[in-house]
Amino acid sequence: RQIVDRYVDAWHRGDVDSIVTMLTQDAVLSMPPRPEWFSGAASVRAFLAAWPLAQPGRSRLAATRANGQLAFGHYRLDEATGRYVAHSLDVITLRGARIAGVTAFYLPGSFAPFGLSSALEPSPR
């Protein structure tokens, strides 16, 4: 539970450095079927800082499980509606208390089997 809370909090704040401290040095981030993947904490950090966390507040995560592993429904902000819409299912591979892998599956139409809604309302300020 502590890993979930720390990861979600850091993600929502756009705190790349806090996320990187949760990774193993050889952590891998992949996004099948996209050919790009990032290997090593420094490479993952560069990707997170350049794209998904470059603008804090544009993503939201909701914890779930997939194949017995920790996973998150990843939602991206829809500027037109102000809602967060389903984007990907991020499956986390743990090694001890650290994150050794993140596999982001682009499954926006398949969140229901994971107990996730297709959209989230914006958080009240």
Side-chain angles (χ1 to χ4, degrees), residues 36-108:
E36 301 91 4
W37 58 279
F38 305 89
S39 181
S43 180
V44 172
R45 183 198 190 292
F47 168 73
L48 293 175
W51 188 74
L53 297 178
Q55 297 177 326
R58 297 191 53 81
S59 293
R60 288 289 174 260
L61 300 180
T64 189
R65 297 201 65 82
N67 282 349
Q69 290 181 265
L70 174 61
F72 295 96
H74 180 171
Y75 298 83
R76 296 288 293 163
L77 180 63
D78 178 337
E79 297 283 344
T81 66
R83 299 175 79 205
Y84 292 89
V85 296
H87 178 268
S88 61
L89 183 72
D90 300 351
V91 179
I92 308 297
T93 301
L94 295 175
R95 187 180 312 137
R98 309 229 15 215
I99 299 169
V102 179
T103 306
F105 297 96
Y106 182 69
L107 298 171

Side-chain angles (χ1 to χ4, degrees), residues 11-53:
W11 192 275
H12 290 177
R13 290 184 294 109
D15 187 345
V16 175
D17 291 329
S18 288
I19 291 171
V20 171
T21 66
M22 299 177 70
L23 302 176
T24 61
Q25 282 303 309
D26 61 346
V28 173
L29 185 148
S30 61
M31 302 169 286
R34 297 183 59 93
E36 301 91 4
W37 58 279
F38 305 89
S39 181
S43 180
V44 172
R45 183 198 190 292
F47 168 73
L48 293 175
W51 188 74
L53 297 178

